[in-house]
Amino acid sequence: MTDKDYVPYGSDVSAGRYACVDCGHHYSNQSKKSLPPCPHYAAGTHPKKGWKILSGQGDAVDDPYPN
């Protein structure tokens, strides 16, 4: 698992469960080339623009946002 608190929108991730770090919305997926934004995303209410990893491996090795 990654040592980051969350992965930003657009990250390559493995299959797993995620929660929006801004609103808590839960999202489950198979491996994705690009993790989507939260379906409840609004610029004024989602400043972190990312997902907390609940299960799975999180960031892919070739993540475009490794830091």
Side-chain angles (χ1 to χ4, degrees):
M1 185 172 303
T2 181
D3 61 349
K4 290 188 270 185
D5 291 336
Y6 65 92
V7 293
Y9 300 158
S11 293
D12 294 347
V13 295
S14 65
R17 292 183 319 117
Y18 300 84
C20 177
V21 294
D22 292 302
C23 74
H25 175 79
H26 282 219
Y27 174 74
S28 295
N29 74 311
Q30 298 299 318
S31 294
K32 291 283 187 183
K33 185 66 177 171
S34 179
L35 194 59
C38 177
H40 303 291
Y41 172 77
T45 63
H46 285 67
K48 293 181 180 177
K49 300 178 187 167
W51 296 96
K52 179 178 179 171
I53 301 161
L54 300 177
S55 70
Q57 295 300 308
D59 278 331
V61 173
D62 297 326
D63 183 359
Y65 307 98
N67 296 318

